[in-house]
Amino acid sequence: GGEGRLQAVFTCNKCQHRDAYCFSKHSYTRGVVIVRCRGCKALHLMADHLGWFGAKKTAESIAEEKGIAAQRMSLDELSSYLAAHPHLHRPHPPAAPSTAPPPALNAPAPP
């Protein structure tokens, strides 16, 4: 889909590792998004619009339930924030699929 991508920056409540995560806008607004902390490998629910984990919720509503401030930022604001915090990991978009043909299955063994 051409709906774009979103990025979230947050601190893991288990190990206090702060990081940035990238995911599709479609998944965040209509599906389920779960990210894995790069510090302790814990899983964090970012959005559940399918009710897999109870009531439907987003990162903002989850933060609000826990009394944590959540702030939405424009791409420009996020870019400025990340520039000011260079220690944060910046996720890269998925690599484009390779256009190279797959290796031949019946290729002769090297000598």
Side-chain angles (χ1 to χ4, degrees), residues 24-91:
S24 77
K25 182 176 180 180
H26 178 85
S27 294
Y28 186 76
T29 59
R30 298 182 185 180
V32 175
V33 176
I34 301 170
V35 298
R36 183 176 300 276
C37 174
R38 292 179 183 96
C40 68
K41 309 298 184 220
L43 295 173
H44 296 279
L45 180 64
M46 297 299 292
D48 178 6
H49 291 280
L50 303 178
W52 287 3
F53 300 95
K56 296 178 182 181
K57 52 184 79 177
T58 63
E60 291 95 337
S61 66
I62 294 167
E64 186 177 318
E65 287 173 6
K66 295 179 178 185
I68 300 168
Q71 179 181 358
R72 282 186 175 239
M73 296 181 187
S74 69
L75 186 56
D76 288 339
E77 291 169 325
L78 180 59
S79 294
S80 296
Y81 179 85
L82 291 174
H85 299 86
H87 61 284
L88 289 176
H89 171 79
R90 288 176 184 79

